[in-house]
Amino acid sequence: MYWGGNPAECHPRHFTKYALMPKSKFLPRGRKDRTAVLVDIRPTKSAKAADIFLQVRPGKDFELITILRALIKDQKVSEEAVAETGITLEQCTDLIERMKKAKFGCVFFGMGLSMTRGKHMNSAALLTLAAEMNAFTKFVAMPMRGHGNVTGADVIMRWQTGYPFGITFNRGYPRYNPGEFSTVDVLVRGDADAAFIIGADPGATMPQPAIDHLARIPTIVLDPHVTHTSNLAKVHITTAPAGIAAPGTAYRMDEIPLPLKPALKSPYPTDEEVVRRIKQAIVKKPFWMPEGAQMTAAQV
Amino acid sequence: MLRITGGKVYDPANGIDGEVRDLFVSEGKFVASAEEGRTIDATGMIVFPGGVDVHTHVAGGAINFARAMTPEDHRRTQAFIRSQSRRSGIGGMAPTTFATGYLYAGMGWTTVNEAAVPVLSARHTHEELSDIPIVDKSTLTLMANNEIMLDLMEKGEYERAKNVVAWYIWAAKSYGVKAVNPGGVAAWKWGKDAKQLTSPIEGFTRLTPGDIISQLARICHELGLPHPLHLHCNNLGAPGNISTTLDTLNHLDGHRAHIAHSQYHAYGGDDWDEMRSETAQLAEYFNTHPNVTTDAGAVLFGDTVTITADGPWQHLLYKLTGRKWGNLDVENETGCGIVPYTYRPSNLVNAIQWSVGLELLLLIKNPWQVFLSTDHPNGGCFWRYPEIIQLLMCADFRTECLKKLPDKIKERITLPELTREYTLYEIATSMSAGPARALGLHHKGNLGLGCDADIVIYEEDKDVARMFGHPRYVIKGGEVVIEEGDIRATPDGHEYISRPHYAPDTDEFLRPLFEDCYTMQFENYPVEMERIEKPAIHDCVPNS
Amino acid sequence: MNKLTLRLKEQPTVPLEAEVLSPDTFAELSNEEIRSKTVYHGKRQCRLDDFFDVDGERSDDVEIHGDLHRVRWIGREMSRGRITVHGSVGMHLGAYMKGGEIEVHGNASDWIGAEMRNGLIRVHGNGGGQIGAGYRGSLKGMRGGTIIVDGSAGLEVGMRMRRGMIVLGGPAKDFTGLQMKGGTIVLLAGAEIRTGAWMMRGTIISLKPIQMMPTFSYACRYTPDVLRVYSRRLKELGVSLPYAPQDGAYKLYSGDASVPGKGEILVWDALSA
């Protein structure tokens, strides 16, 4: 099942290499041995690849998933209430029947689900549905991440700080609160007095108040290209492109680490080298925490 | 150079039991004498070899998933505040990498064995391990549910399977083989489990869990791996699983093995209401089979997060707790489940589990066979080991703790009858010399000449938990890393890697199979040696 | 006891974390000791008097003046006394609170009374999101006490709350009472969508019609006796809750069937005159 994602156009290898086409020991006929469902607000190119396309009304994903959670537990939901989602009760019942009959169900969800009204709760709904489906058969769910190696950033932040994102270090140790410490919220509220941006272009994607704040404060950009953010930054440092001219590891969206083997040489330093040199310079300055200070641990 | 003088030395590897001796260190090893350098006056203090954790989960995809799942624990637990010499981090149920190194070293443990690594995420695990400072490390590769290997075993191609196992160990840059719920994790891909050792596994026609156990034990022996098969038995945690465990041991066919966290595998009774301890039976097996070792997997009351490749068990635990559940399927290699859990003294099952862990440690007579562990973080967090030491050394304290358990427990356990108290010599064996020997790390857990100078020095204290929780000095590779409760140095540890022999055509044999069922390039799969920080390679000598 | 008065003299340029702003801290301290208490301006450790003029000492009756929208954690874990703020406050007002009273003549931000156990928080302006909620990952939100916000509120009000009461004078955004496990939320001006989503137990009372989740079902039209009790209690706090049969009755919806839960949403249905 794909929910709120359009792999045919956004993750072109997903069907052929991972999820729909491959032949395997238990699915020798490949695509023919699988049932594919797409749930989205409009019939995208991915709809053609699906056996079943369910067109959910915009902003009704959370309701639809919650209905499915009730129905798998044999709870009653009125026909009219279901119809509000753009899907009929009959369609829901049929979908559940197929889900329960599957030997191994897999749900991939995209930003059409996770970045629309309801956001993290939409994702939570689908993950919960997949968890609860295990009372009947094997079911898993996984997000289809958008940007390059955003998973890698998550993974490393987690092992070093315990948290994937939305972290502050101002009390000398990691604290977490998405909404309070996530980049976009910090910038929109004007809570930061400097910004250091590596391999991202918030100047192109973030809301205007965030962009305005980036232009107000000293912003430093590390990027192989001159980006929208570079144009409003005080400093831009050109770096070697990762994977093309800089080695390292990228984490696939399923958290499998892949080695990056550079094919080219770049005249520019890698991001890592620039950060290391900045760090070396900072170490020479007086340590920011007062000598012997008791940084009382604060919850959250 | 370093001299440690006047301490009471406990060095079971060399039969030294509390004798006052001087130790001399040069270039990270013990030497016969040293003229220069610092002298630590350890008069009146107790000197142990640094602790060795034979079975823990500190790095890799599973523990890292657990970290993400438990922000509520990070908030309330110990914070590691950044200093000029120390990185920041979080302690608690699933500590962050830097904190893991500080916490282990802080209580005198200097070597840890990460016991469950899928090859597919080995690169990730090694990256994490290089962020765990101070301690030396090794990893075990999950093999007992790897579909390529299972197919070979099903077809009766034992020699091929052996080559493939060796190839995987080297590809993962790991130290040995871990088997978790043989066949059961593969069956979990179908939403099933493998509970009978002699029944075919879901998805196979002939192959049984028993076959996997027998063949993997033999493979580990024949490859000459320094550590024998590290085995997590089928039916973990289930009432009445003692019969499965004993059956598993019989399938070893006389080969060496290490039975992981045996606490979870020593229960009688037919259901949760009837559950009871069957440690006497299991201990009897160990007492009559010196070729098999185990670690306790002891349970301590409190909050923790359970992490295991045993996916079906974790789904059951999720249904029992109704709390959070994470599940990871690792393609055709293995899987894992994560469930936060609270062990409560008022809960009869939990109380029995607490008792079973201690009973095994007390009933297995030879401390060279049973090692201190909580299967971190499953039974409790590793930084709570000093509490277990106290329970082992003080029978009165055990009696006090027993009073807090439900009355109904009396006929279910044998702990109240056990009066044995561990001596310091036995503790040193169980926490250091024994696990080091079982891992085949002969230069660890040993204060003899030429061995690694990993030392922990305690100030004698009647409060055993305090004494073991706060060593006066910890020395790693001859360097003082902990002194008076402070971290003084954070050197990088070594990583131990085994290089077993495999037939040269194994690459070409595996390539088409690999391309058939994996989602990454064959060339990208093996972990490059350059990625390992300070590797220490053990070349295996095959046994016939 | 005499009052302790603090006046913001220097507007923080980045968030100021000031959990020392609590009667528990100030009750036994001299003026000089209070002035020297540590606050965190970003990563910098500063003295309280770098930002505040402090008048008075040894008091658990604290009055704070100024635009404190960047000042976070006011009244954290307080167990006694009183804080009155003349101005707006930043996030986490009264989080983990155990007792005492906070009154804000101005707006407050997200996480008001998060995971509080007891006490009273009253905000005369607008509130933010996650009022009385559990922090991310926590199994339980507020476990007792009362929060009243005269104005509007943001997302996830009362998320996973276990006990206690939240009253909102203005409209709330989405997910009010998300995964609620107990307690009561009173919505005088209704809420946007997904009210009561994934509720297990507890009660949401709305005086305005609200959009119902499809997994809630209509049970009946009545006025439970407990409304009389709530009404009396809220009257003391200046909030009027109708319950008289001649004025109307409540439509009871139960859910959320997806859990399946036993939560209740009561929507006031006035008799037309």
Side-chain angles (χ1 to χ4, degrees):
Chain A
M1 290 173 69
Y2 288 94
W3 199 303
N6 181 9
E9 289 176 279
C10 305
H11 298 93
R13 308 256 284 157
H14 208 270
F15 289 157
T16 50
K17 198 153 186 251
Y18 304 108
L20 284 190
M21 315 308 264
K23 292 177 177 160
S24 64
K25 185 173 158 191
F26 300 114
L27 304 170
R29 298 181 302 156
R31 177 67 184 85
K32 289 196 188 103
D33 283 331
R34 292 181 175 89
T35 305
V37 180
L38 176 73
V39 186
D40 210 337
I41 56 164
R42 59 176 170 270
T44 60
K45 275 194 179 162
S46 298
K48 285 196 198 82
D51 298 302
I52 299 166
F53 170 64
L54 298 173
Q55 189 163 355
V56 61
R57 228 167 249 162
K60 290 288 182 188
D61 302 85
F62 181 84
E63 283 73 10
L64 179 56
I65 300 165
T66 302
I67 288 168
L68 293 174
R69 283 186 56 203
L71 291 177
I72 62 168
K73 290 168 204 147
D74 296 325
Q75 298 287 312
K76 290 229 161 25
V77 185
S78 82
E79 224 163 299
E80 306 78 63
V82 178
E84 296 261 308
T85 64
I87 310 292
T88 64
L89 179 59
E90 201 182 336
Q91 283 174 303
C92 287
T93 321
D94 174 63
L95 178 65
I96 286 168
E97 195 80 354
R98 289 166 188 272
M99 285 168 76
K100 286 185 177 176
K101 271 195 199 138
K103 292 195 186 81
F104 192 129
C106 192
V107 195
F108 297 100
F109 55 97
M111 290 195 279
L113 184 74
S114 59
M115 298 304 276
T116 51
R117 190 166 178 179
K119 293 197 170 180
H120 59 280
M121 285 314 299
N122 294 348
S123 308
L126 205 56
L127 291 165
T128 310
L129 174 65
E132 292 176 348
M133 275 304 296
N134 281 274
F136 311 100
T137 184
K138 187 65 191 288
F139 240 89
V140 296
M142 205 178 79
M144 307 268 281
R145 311 294 298 264
H147 304 283
N149 206 18
V150 59
T151 308
D154 267 24
V155 167
I156 293 173
M157 290 313 276
R158 257 151 57 198
W159 85 54
Q160 296 202 341
T161 72
Y163 306 116
F165 48 75
I167 304 160
T168 180
F169 292 95
N170 75 314
R171 302 286 281 257
Y173 72 100
R175 289 183 302 153
Y176 166 75
N177 200 16
E180 181 175 8
F181 305 131
S182 22
T183 318
V184 60
D185 302 278
V186 167
L187 291 174
V188 166
R189 277 192 306 267
D191 282 350
D193 58 4
F196 186 59
I197 313 238
I198 307 175
D201 191 10
T205 54
M206 280 194 182
Q208 197 58 43
I211 295 170
D212 293 345
H213 192 67
L214 279 175
R216 264 197 300 272
I217 58 177
T219 295
I220 304 155
V221 173
L222 266 56
D223 207 284
H225 313 288
V226 172
T227 63
H228 288 92
T229 319
S230 311
N231 288 326
L232 49 87
K234 297 276 185 296
V235 178
H236 167 97
I237 301 172
T238 304
T239 53
I244 298 169
T249 309
Y251 283 74
R252 213 165 59 183
M253 61 169 88
D254 59 354
E255 299 194 1
I256 295 296
L258 299 171
L260 298 177
K261 295 174 180 167
L264 302 172
K265 277 214 158 84
S266 167
Y268 301 110
T270 63
D271 291 321
E272 190 189 1
E273 195 181 330
V274 174
V275 173
R276 186 169 293 149
R277 279 162 64 183
I278 292 173
K279 196 179 158 213
Q280 278 166 1
I282 290 174
V283 166
K284 289 186 191 132
K285 299 174 79 178
F287 191 53
W288 61 272
M289 228 184 287
E291 193 64 41
Q294 276 292 310
M295 298 288 279
T296 38
Q299 282 170 302
V300 173
Chain B
M1 280 190 269
L2 183 68
R3 285 172 293 185
I4 298 157
T5 58
K8 271 194 273 182
V9 175
Y10 293 84
D11 180 16
N14 297 294
I16 295 166
D17 182 7
E19 289 169 38
V20 174
R21 292 207 169 196
D22 296 345
L23 297 172
F24 304 98
V25 177
S26 176
E27 291 176 3
K29 312 272 185 203
F30 292 108
V31 292
S33 66
E35 297 303 317
E36 296 157 37
R38 179 176 175 189
T39 300
I40 291 176
D41 180 6
T43 306
M45 296 186 204
I46 290 165
V47 181
F48 268 40
V52 176
D53 201 335
V54 73
H55 186 106
T56 184
H57 303 287
V58 289
I63 187 88
N64 213 31
F65 201 93
R67 293 183 184 115
M69 272 173 63
T70 53
E72 73 282 18
D73 182 63
H74 303 335
R75 276 197 289 276
R76 67 189 172 211
T77 194
Q78 184 184 4
F80 284 81
I81 290 166
R82 204 204 133 170
S83 72
Q84 272 164 301
S85 58
R86 202 173 74 181
R87 301 279 299 260
S88 69
I90 303 278
M93 311 191 306
T96 57
T97 49
F98 306 117
T100 298
Y102 306 146
L103 284 164
Y104 262 117
M107 61 171 194
W109 259 251
T110 48
T111 306
V112 301
N113 181 37
E114 161 55 60
V117 182
V119 189
L120 262 170
S121 57
R123 186 174 279 110
H124 168 180
T125 308
H126 289 299
E127 288 192 343
E128 267 197 49
L129 287 175
S130 66
D131 271 353
I132 298 182
I134 307 177
V135 295
D136 290 329
K137 296 147 282 200
S138 57
T139 62
L140 302 179
T141 299
L142 289 161
M143 283 307 312
N145 294 281
N146 180 304
E147 302 265 350
I148 290 180
M149 193 207 67
L150 296 188
D151 281 345
L152 291 170
M153 287 183 171
E154 163 114 333
K155 284 187 224 148
E157 295 189 32
Y158 171 79
E159 280 302 318
R160 265 298 179 209
K162 184 165 90 179
N163 281 310
V164 164
V165 170
W167 187 92
Y168 271 118
I169 290 171
W170 184 242
K173 301 294 173 288
S174 83
Y175 187 70
V177 175
K178 169 77 176 297
V180 172
N181 187 357
V185 183
W188 174 238
K189 306 262 166 68
W190 303 82
K192 302 276 170 37
D193 197 355
K195 293 187 170 299
Q196 290 295 332
L197 290 197
T198 49
S199 305
I201 297 158
E202 191 75 24
F204 295 85
T205 47
R206 285 187 304 278
L207 188 69
T208 66
D211 297 338
I212 303 174
I213 294 160
S214 303
Q215 294 184 47
L216 274 179
R218 186 174 152 206
I219 286 171
C220 290
H221 168 73
E222 291 184 359
L223 290 175
L225 293 172
H227 183 51
L229 177 62
H230 195 105
L231 180 56
H232 160 142
C233 301
N234 300 65
N235 264 336
L236 173 140
N241 63 10
I242 182 69
S243 56
T244 314
T245 310
L246 293 171
D247 202 11
T248 302
L249 289 161
N250 288 328
H251 274 89
L252 294 172
D253 302 331
H255 286 112
R256 289 174 64 214
H258 177 85
I259 304 300
H261 39 73
S262 47
Q263 180 277 126
Y264 289 105
H265 303 279
Y267 309 145
D270 296 329
D271 53 37
W272 295 109
D273 293 334
E274 296 296 317
M275 184 171 144
R276 60 175 190 274
S277 159
E278 284 293 354
T279 48
Q281 282 192 61
L282 190 56
E284 177 59 23
Y285 185 94
F286 285 102
N287 289 337
T288 51
H289 293 78
N291 59 333
V292 187
T293 54
T294 188
D295 60 273
V299 157
L300 289 165
F301 296 121
D303 291 323
T304 191
V305 53
T306 65
I307 300 172
T308 167
D310 204 333
W313 166 253
Q314 292 298 78
H315 180 243
L316 178 72
L317 198 59
Y318 156 65
K319 288 199 285 186
L320 288 173
T321 58
R323 276 162 68 173
K324 304 177 191 182
W325 174 44
N327 176 79
L328 303 168
D329 290 301
V330 187
E331 298 198 9
N332 47 8
E333 291 186 352
T334 178
C336 125
I338 301 136
V339 180
Y341 192 78
T342 307
Y343 291 98
R344 293 190 167 87
S346 56
N347 175 312
L348 187 61
V349 170
N350 294 163
I352 293 170
Q353 292 179 309
W354 174 85
S355 177
V356 166
L358 297 173
E359 287 173 18
L360 284 167
L361 281 158
L362 294 165
L363 286 169
I364 298 173
K365 290 177 189 145
N366 185 354
W368 289 92
Q369 269 181 282
V370 60
F371 314 133
L372 202 58
S373 88
T374 53
D375 184 18
H376 165 80
N378 287 297
C381 302
F382 68 80
W383 43 266
R384 296 180 66 189
Y385 287 171
E387 296 174 44
I388 303 178
I389 297 177
Q390 185 181 20
L391 286 160
L392 294 176
M393 292 187 70
C394 316
D396 289 348
F397 179 58
R398 288 203 297 269
T399 312
E400 278 307 303
C401 293
L402 276 164
K403 284 182 191 155
K404 293 172 195 145
L405 305 186
D407 267 351
K408 271 195 287 182
I409 200 170
K410 279 176 194 140
E411 57 268 31
R412 313 289 188 94
I413 58 170
T414 55
L415 190 63
E417 298 145 37
L418 305 179
T419 53
R420 178 177 167 195
E421 290 185 332
Y422 268 57
T423 62
L424 284 172
Y425 186 75
E426 286 172 328
I427 293 289
T429 312
S430 184
M431 73 171 242
S432 173
R437 186 180 285 180
L439 284 168
L441 294 170
H442 298 292
H443 52 293
K444 294 283 172 197
N446 186 332
L447 303 178
L449 296 185
C451 292
D452 289 354
D454 301 341
I455 312 160
V456 47
I457 302 173
Y458 305 101
E459 217 145 359
E460 202 157 1
D461 189 335
K462 281 208 181 83
D463 184 333
V464 172
R466 187 168 62 198
M467 171 175 137
F468 281 94
H470 302 90
R472 180 73 186 268
Y473 302 95
V474 178
I475 294 150
K476 168 69 190 17
E479 195 172 349
V480 178
V481 291
I482 305 283
E483 190 169 349
E484 292 173 35
D486 261 359
I487 295 174
R488 293 292 157 91
T490 59
D492 289 327
H494 288 95
E495 241 201 85
Y496 297 105
I497 292 162
S498 295
R499 179 157 49 196
H501 175 80
Y502 53 86
D505 68 349
T506 310
D507 270 280
E508 286 322 300
F509 169 76
L510 272 171
R511 182 186 292 272
L513 292 175
F514 190 95
E515 283 168 357
D516 213 28
C517 56
Y518 275 81
T519 59
M520 69 194 283
Q521 301 259 333
F522 190 57
E523 284 72 22
N524 283 339
Y525 183 69
V527 179
E528 307 83 348
M529 192 50 94
E530 309 86 80
R531 285 176 174 263
I532 313 289
E533 255 177 42
K534 299 179 83 178
I537 300 171
H538 174 97
D539 277 304
C540 302
V541 182
N543 296 309
S544 50
Chain C
M1 203 180 271
N2 54 348
K3 246 185 198 148
L4 177 71
T5 309
L6 293 99
R7 265 170 229 283
L8 188 72
K9 61 176 181 188
E10 179 81 35
Q11 184 59 237
T13 54
V14 293
L16 187 77
E17 293 187 352
E19 64 273 15
V20 293
L21 295 176
S22 155
D24 293 63
T25 323
F26 298 145
E28 311 297 333
L29 297 185
S30 71
N31 185 280
E32 174 46 37
E33 285 165 326
I34 292 170
R35 284 170 189 278
S36 69
K37 278 281 158 192
T38 305
V39 291
Y40 300 82
H41 188 220
K43 67 175 184 177
R44 308 279 171 204
Q45 294 182 42
C46 304
R47 284 167 58 99
L48 186 62
D49 63 5
D50 290 341
F51 289 93
F52 290 92
D53 287 322
V54 182
D55 194 10
E57 60 183 358
R58 291 188 179 86
S59 169
D60 69 357
D61 190 356
V62 183
E63 202 173 279
I64 314 176
H65 297 264
D67 174 10
L68 308 168
H69 78 279
R70 283 221 165 91
V71 182
R72 296 182 180 169
W73 296 108
I74 295 172
R76 187 180 89 188
E77 267 186 287
M78 69 183 265
S79 65
R80 57 189 274 200
R82 199 180 153 76
I83 299 178
T84 314
V85 183
H86 298 276
S88 292
V89 298
M91 286 185 200
H92 310 291
L93 174 79
Y96 303 111
M97 187 169 173
K98 293 170 189 158
E101 270 184 57
I102 300 178
E103 186 166 16
V104 175
H105 298 278
N107 297 329
S109 184
D110 302 337
W111 306 101
I112 300 168
E115 301 192 19
M116 75 187 281
R117 285 167 186 276
N118 210 342
L120 171 68
I121 302 176
R122 175 134 209 179
V123 176
H124 292 291
N126 296 326
Q130 293 89 16
I131 297 171
Y135 283 108
R136 299 293 172 200
S138 289
L139 300 181
K140 286 187 204 128
M142 70 187 285
R143 269 152 262 195
T146 306
I147 303 172
I148 303 180
V149 176
D150 294 350
S152 63
L155 297 168
E156 300 177 345
V157 170
M159 182 228 300
R160 280 178 238 136
M161 72 185 281
R162 179 78 182 73
R163 224 175 279 128
M165 183 180 270
I166 300 173
V167 183
L168 302 180
K173 289 197 175 140
D174 304 0
F175 294 114
T176 301
L178 176 69
Q179 290 175 292
M180 217 170 148
K181 298 171 177 214
T184 309
I185 300 177
V186 179
L187 303 169
L188 301 180
E192 292 187 30
I193 57 172
R194 296 164 184 170
T195 306
W198 304 4
M199 248 175 123
M200 276 176 250
R201 279 168 191 280
T203 310
I204 299 173
I205 300 166
S206 178
L207 299 194
K208 292 274 154 56
I210 49 172
Q211 192 178 329
M212 214 48 77
M213 279 288 291
T215 40
F216 275 75
S217 49
Y218 175 71
C220 57
R221 188 175 180 281
Y222 87 131
T223 299
D225 289 343
V226 71
L227 259 290
R228 209 177 285 266
V229 182
Y230 286 158
S231 179
R232 227 173 275 141
R233 215 179 106 208
L234 287 175
K235 204 168 187 182
E236 290 164 23
L237 297 163
V239 177
S240 89
L241 196 62
Y243 65 89
Q246 64 271 25
D247 298 333
Y250 288 87
K251 283 176 145 177
L252 170 66
Y253 297 83
S254 62
D256 182 328
S258 69
V259 175
K262 293 176 181 164
E264 294 182 333
I265 300 183
L266 293 159
V267 183
W268 177 245
D269 186 22
L271 283 180
S272 40

